[in-house]
Amino acid sequence: MIKKLFVCILVCVAFTTVMADEGMWLPSRIKERVKEMRSLGFKLKADDIYSDTKASLKDAVMQFGGGCTGEFISPEGLLLTNHHCGYSSIQKLSSVEHDYLTYGYWAKSKSEELPVPGLTITLLVRMEDITDRVAAGETNASIVAEAEENGRYTAQINSMYYGLQQYLFVYQVFKDVRLVGAPPSSIGKFGGDTDNWIWPRHTGDFSIFRVYANADNEPAEYSADNVPYRPKRFFEISTKGVEEGDFTMIYGFPGNTQEYVTSDAVEYVANVANPMKIELRTKRLEIISEAQAKDAAVRIAYAAKHASIANSWKKWQGESLGLSRLNTIEKKQDYENYFSMWAQSQPQYAHILDSLRVAYKRVAPGYFVRELFNESIGSIEAYNYTVNLANGAAMVDAGTITAGNLLNWRVNFMKDYNVSIDKAIAQYLIDEFIARAPKDIIPSELLAAIDNCGTTEAFVDSIYSNTHLLTAEPLSSVDIQNDIMTTFVGWFNNVVKNNRKYVYRNISNVPEIENWYRPYMQALREWDSNRAFYPDANFTLRVSYGTVTGYENVDGEYHTHLTTLDGIIAKDNPEIYDYNIPQELRDIHSRGDYGRWGVKVNGRTTVPVCFLASNHTSGGNSGSPVINGRGELIGINFDRTWRSTMSDIEFDPTICRNISVDIRYVLFVIDRIGKAGYLLNEMNLK
C-alpha cells in the first residue's frame, strides 16, 4: 500500500506541478499570477499587462498575418516581427531583379515603404468571460453582433477547456501594412532549415513593418492618403542585455497546445500521424530543394513554400523524439489509472475514460484519412489551384468578385509556380495516397486512369500535358468545368465531403471526442485540485513567463544562454547559401568595429545574437515580444529548441527552452548593415 501511494504521488507530481516557467495564461486573469511573477523579477502591476480602461502592454502586441505575433516599437506604428513571419510578404515583393530575400530591403523614408497586399495585423481591443451570459441564454450571434458595433470591430468567441468556458475576443483589423526593412536572408534566415529548431542559434530572425490608418487613426484599406497608425502603447527597448536568471515574459498568440489530452491522443500523434506526415514531407522537400539549387528564380519562387513545409516537418520529428524520451504515453496512462481509482466513487465520472477511448477508436481512422489527404492529394499545387479557380469562377458568375479579381489571383499563383516541381510531387503523393488510404475510399476513376496509362508517372504526364488551366490562355477561353484537371479534382469530391466532419485543429477537438473532455476537465479540476489549469493555446492572446537560462542538452553537455557574432563567423561559408553572410558583416567583425553595440562576452568584445529562456511557447508565438521585468523589450521570440517541441503536449521545465533574437543584434543590423539608423530615432532606447 505504501509503495502504491508513493508511485501515485510521483505520477501526480509529473502532471500536476506547474513550474514557474510553464503555462499560457489569459491576460485578463494575469492578476492571479503576479505574485509568482514578482518572485522571479517582475516589477509592474497586473493592469500594466492588461487593462480594458487604460493603455497597457496588450495594446502594443498584435497578431501578425494569420499565424504570428508582432509588437509596436514606436509611436508611429513601426512594428517588429520575425523574418520568417514576414518571409512570404518579402517573397511576394521580390523578383530576380529585386531580390529582397537575398539582399534585404531598407526603406530610407516612409515614401519607400512597400505596401503588402493582403497582409493584416489584428489588435485585441478587449476580452470577456461570457460563460455565464451563454448559460443565461444569450446566443453567440447576438453577443458577437453587439461587440462588433456595426462593423467597427470584429469579434469571435473561443472555447477554453474544451468548452467549459467561453470567451469573447474583440479586435481591430488593419489592412494597410507596409514593409519597412528586412535583413538579407543570410542574416534573417541564417542557418536555414539545418539550424531550424536547433541551439546554439545565430539567426537574426526579424523584419520591420509599419501599420497605416486613416486620418482618424482607424483601420482603412490601402491609400496613399493614409498615415502611420498611432498605437495606444508601444514598447520601450532595453539595450542593457540579459543575464542568466533574468525575468522574461512573452506576450503573444500561441496557436495549439494539448496539455490535458489522454494517452490515446498522444499515441495517435506520436505513432500514427507524425510518422506519415514526416515521410511525405521529406520527399517533397527533396524535390523542391533539388530544383532550387539549379535555378535562382525557382529558389525565390519556392523559398516561402519550402520554409513552410520544412518548419512543421522538423518540428514533428523533435516532438516524437521528445514524447518518446519523456515516456509521455506511459506517464499519462499511469495518471489515468489513478484518476480512475478516484472516479469509481464518482458516478458522474466513473466511465469518462472508457467513453473517451471508445470515441478515439471510432474517430481515429477517419481523422487519419483527413490528415493523409491533406499531406498527399491536398498538397499538390495544381489540385488546390483548380479548386480555387473553379470556386472563383463561380463567384464571378454570382457577382461576388470581378473577373479582374480572379485574373489577378491567377497571375499571382503562376508567378511562383513551377510545373516540373509540381508534377514530380504529384506523382509521388498520388502513389502514397493509394498505398496508405483505405481501399474503399480511393476513387475508382483514379485507379482506372492509372491502369489505362500504365504508370502513375504516365498518368500525371497526361493530365498536366492536356490541362488548359496551367497555360497562359485567357481565362475567358478556358472551359474550367470540363478541363481534365477539374475532372481529376472531382474524383476526390466524396473524400473531401467525408473529411469535413474531421476538420478540427486536433483529433481531440472532433466533437465526438471533445464532448467527453468537458466532463473530464471538470473531473480533473475536482480530483487534482492543486493543479494550476491554464487553457490550451488557440491563437488567442496569452502571457507566459520564465527566466533567461541555459540547459543540459545531453549528459555532460551544457548549453549556455547566449550566442554571439563570433559564432556566426565560425559558421560562415560562402559556398552554402544559408551560411553565406554579407561581406560587410565579415568586415565589421574583422575590424572589431561594433560601435555602440559591442559588449564584453567571456572577455571578448562582440555583439550578442540570440538567447535562451524557459518560457512556454508554441507556434503562433513567433515574433512575440520578449519583455524584462520592467516591461521593456529585450528580444523577439522565434523558435524552440528541438528537444522542446513536445511542449505542445508535455512541458518539461528541465529541457524546454524558447529561442529569441537579442534586441541588441536587431538594432546592430538595422544600424550597421541596413544603414537605417533613422529608424532608431523613432524608438525609445533605454
Side-chain angles (χ1 to χ4, degrees):
M1 179 64 187
I2 293 176
K3 182 178 180 181
K4 180 178 287 188
L5 178 61
F6 179 68
V7 172
C8 179
I9 292 171
L10 288 180
V11 170
C12 290
V13 165
F15 282 102
T16 65
T17 304
V18 175
M19 306 296 289
D21 318 87
E22 184 181 356
M24 296 178 175
W25 309 98
L26 290 165
S28 61
R29 303 290 299 273
I30 201 63
K31 191 174 184 178
E32 300 167 7
R33 313 303 307 175
V34 165
K35 182 178 179 181
E36 184 176 61
M37 294 169 70
R38 288 190 184 282
S39 73
L40 298 174
F42 183 63
K43 307 296 184 184
L44 304 180
K45 297 179 295 184
D47 64 357
D48 290 317
I49 296 176
Y50 178 91
S51 174
D52 287 331
T53 59
K54 71 170 189 174
S56 60
L57 294 180
K58 77 121 162 74
D59 299 306
V61 183
M62 81 283 295
Q63 189 170 57
F64 182 89
C68 283
T69 302
E71 53 273 0
F72 287 122
I73 55 169
S74 92
E76 295 187 81
L78 198 67
L79 72 88
L80 285 175
T81 189
N82 287 152
H83 184 268
H84 78 259
C85 293
Y87 201 68
S88 62
S89 296
I90 301 165
Q91 185 265 326
K92 286 177 184 176
L93 298 171
S94 294
S95 64
V96 174
E97 295 76 24
H98 299 286
D99 187 354
Y100 303 139
L101 287 177
T102 298
Y103 301 109
Y105 180 79
W106 303 96
K108 299 306 180 186
S109 67
K110 291 185 178 68
S111 64
E112 293 186 3
E113 296 173 358
L114 303 177
V116 185
L119 178 60
T120 62
I121 73 101
T122 304
L123 287 175
L124 178 68
V125 177
R126 65 182 178 88
M127 58 187 296
E128 177 189 347
D129 185 345
I130 59 167
T131 307
D132 291 342
R133 292 175 63 183
V134 173
E138 287 189 65
T139 66
N140 286 6
S142 64
I143 293 172
V144 166
E146 177 187 352
E148 290 186 337
E149 296 185 13
N150 295 318
R152 183 182 181 190
Y153 303 118
T154 63
Q156 64 186 43
I157 294 172
N158 293 86
S159 295
M160 307 292 168
Y161 308 109
Y162 295 94
L164 279 181
Q165 289 180 269
Q166 305 290 331
Y167 271 78
L168 171 71
F169 293 84
V170 183
Y171 299 102
Q172 278 188 307
V173 180
F174 290 80
K175 299 180 179 181
D176 188 351
V177 187
R178 307 181 194 182
L179 175 65
V180 176
S185 288
S186 53
I187 289 177
K189 203 172 181 289
F190 182 80
D193 293 329
T194 303
D195 282 6
N196 193 20
W197 304 103
I198 299 299
W199 184 264
R201 196 68 170 275
H202 300 87
T203 308
D205 197 347
F206 78 94
S207 54
I208 311 172
F209 293 78
R210 192 186 303 276
V211 178
Y212 281 75
N214 64 21
D216 297 322
N217 207 39
E218 294 289 330
E221 298 287 344
Y222 169 79
S223 169
D225 295 328
N226 286 346
V227 296
Y229 172 67
R230 302 182 302 280
K232 295 178 182 177
R233 185 77 177 259
F234 63 91
F235 285 105
E236 297 180 329
I237 297 173
S238 172
T239 60
K240 297 180 177 63
V242 298
E243 301 291 342
E244 182 94 18
D246 284 354
F247 173 85
T248 54
M249 185 182 101
I250 284 184
Y251 216 158
F253 291 84
N256 186 28
T257 58
Q258 306 177 70
E259 299 292 337
Y260 309 111
V261 293
T262 63
S263 56
D264 309 88
V266 183
E267 191 165 11
Y268 173 81
V269 169
N271 299 333
V272 179
N274 280 4
M276 176 272 292
K277 293 188 286 190
I278 291 165
E279 187 172 342
L280 267 58
R281 291 198 177 200
T282 299
K283 183 64 175 179
R284 290 170 64 197
L285 289 168
E286 289 173 357
I287 293 169
I288 293 171
S289 296
E290 184 178 352
Q292 286 179 305
K294 296 175 181 177
D295 189 314
V298 173
R299 175 177 53 77
I300 294 170
Y302 274 74
K305 296 174 186 178
H306 187 285
S308 178
I309 296 166
N311 191 54
S312 295
W313 166 77
K314 195 167 186 179
K315 184 259 187 184
W316 292 326
Q317 294 175 64
E319 179 177 70
S320 291
L321 288 171
L323 293 172
S324 175
R325 180 183 64 84
L326 291 175
N327 295 315
T328 302
I329 295 173
E330 291 79 6
K331 280 196 290 187
K332 280 188 174 286
Q333 287 172 340
D334 287 340
Y335 184 74
E336 291 155 19
N337 287 338
Y338 286 105
F339 168 81
S340 295
M341 293 180 192
W342 171 83
Q344 286 174 5
S345 61
Q346 311 290 324
Q348 70 273 37
Y349 302 136
H351 302 293
I352 288 178
L353 284 176
D354 292 335
S355 298
L356 273 167
R357 291 190 182 104
V358 170
Y360 273 109
K361 286 180 181 178
R362 281 200 299 260
V363 169
Y367 197 84
F368 176 79
V369 168
R370 176 236 168 177
E371 294 204 281
L372 171 63
F373 181 82
N374 288 347
E375 292 293 329
S376 56
I377 306 302
S379 293
I380 298 170
E381 287 185 87
Y383 176 91
N384 285 299
Y385 167 73
T386 303
V387 171
N388 291 330
L389 195 63
N391 290 339
M395 293 171 72
V396 170
D397 292 341
T400 308
I401 63 173
T402 68
N405 295 143
L406 185 60
L407 178 60
N408 288 338
W409 176 81
R410 184 194 195 199
V411 169
N412 288 333
F413 171 82
M414 295 303 295
K415 172 180 174 286
D416 297 325
Y417 178 70
N418 182 283
V419 69
S420 297
I421 292 175
D422 197 30
K423 281 178 62 178
I425 289 175
Q427 178 187 330
Y428 169 72
L429 293 180
I430 290 171
D431 279 340
E432 288 297 314
F433 176 76
I434 292 171
R436 297 170 184 263
K439 302 306 178 188
D440 60 337
I441 72 143
I442 302 171
S444 58
E445 300 94 335
L446 174 66
L447 296 175
I450 293 173
D451 185 60
N452 186 56
C453 291
T455 64
T456 306
E457 181 180 7
F459 164 70
V460 170
D461 281 339
S462 174
I463 59 172
Y464 278 78
S465 298
N466 290 289
T467 182
H468 295 274
L469 304 185
L470 300 173
T471 68
E473 296 178 52
L475 276 178
S476 58
S477 65
V478 175
D479 185 356
I480 298 174
Q481 185 175 355
N482 294 308
D483 190 88
I484 189 171
M485 193 65 75
T486 306
T487 299
F488 169 70
V489 167
W491 294 341
F492 295 93
N493 284 346
N494 285 334
V495 179
V496 172
K497 181 180 179 181
N498 291 334
N499 279 349
R500 286 176 187 149
K501 70 177 74 170
Y502 302 111
V503 181
Y504 293 91
R505 192 168 68 251
N506 303 300
I507 187 172
S508 303
N509 299 115
V510 175
E512 187 174 345
I513 294 174
E514 185 175 82
N515 289 339
W516 289 108
Y517 269 108
R518 291 169 194 159
Y520 180 59
M521 290 300 303
Q522 184 65 45
L524 287 184
R525 286 173 152 186
E526 294 179 23
W527 170 62
D528 205 352
S529 57
N530 291 325
R531 185 173 184 174
F533 287 91
Y534 52 89
D536 277 326
N538 57 2
F539 282 113
T540 57
L541 191 60
R542 304 297 179 88
V543 170
S544 66
Y545 55 91
T547 57
V548 174
T549 181
Y551 71 105
E552 186 177 29
N553 182 47
V554 293
D555 183 39
E557 181 183 299
Y558 186 81
H559 285 181
T560 59
H561 71 279
L562 192 68
T563 61
T564 70
L565 182 57
D566 295 343
I568 292 177
I569 299 301
K571 289 181 177 180
D572 178 31
N573 187 340
E575 302 300 316
I576 303 175
Y577 178 81
D578 288 329
Y579 294 94
N580 182 19
I581 64 174
Q583 183 60 43
E584 191 164 15
L585 191 55
R586 298 186 186 107
D587 294 341
I588 289 172
H589 180 266
S590 65
R591 297 192 305 266
D593 181 21
Y594 307 129
R596 64 187 290 195
W597 312 114
V599 298
K600 288 281 187 182
V601 178
N602 297 326
R604 290 174 54 87
T605 300
T606 185
V607 180
V609 176
C610 296
F611 65 87
L612 285 176
S614 58
N615 300 78
H616 195 173
T617 62
S618 183
N621 275 127
S622 290
S624 292
V626 187
I627 309 161
N628 65 17
R630 296 178 297 279
E632 300 162 343
L633 188 67
I634 56 175
I636 311 170
N637 180 75
F638 70 91
D639 209 354
R640 287 172 281 176
T641 57
W642 201 40
R643 295 182 66 188
S644 301
T645 56
M646 78 294 177
S647 64
D648 288 347
I649 295 174
E650 181 181 357
F651 186 90
D652 179 359
T654 67
I655 200 74
C656 288
R657 299 291 181 267
N658 64 296
I659 306 174
S660 303
V661 57
D662 195 302
I663 200 63
R664 293 171 292 178
Y665 187 55
V666 173
L667 299 172
F668 164 78
V669 172
I670 292 171
D671 186 22
R672 305 305 299 277
I673 302 299
K675 304 295 189 297
Y678 82 94
L679 292 172
L680 305 185
N681 297 331
E682 285 191 43
M683 307 173 198
N684 189 349
L685 304 183
K686 308 287 282 188

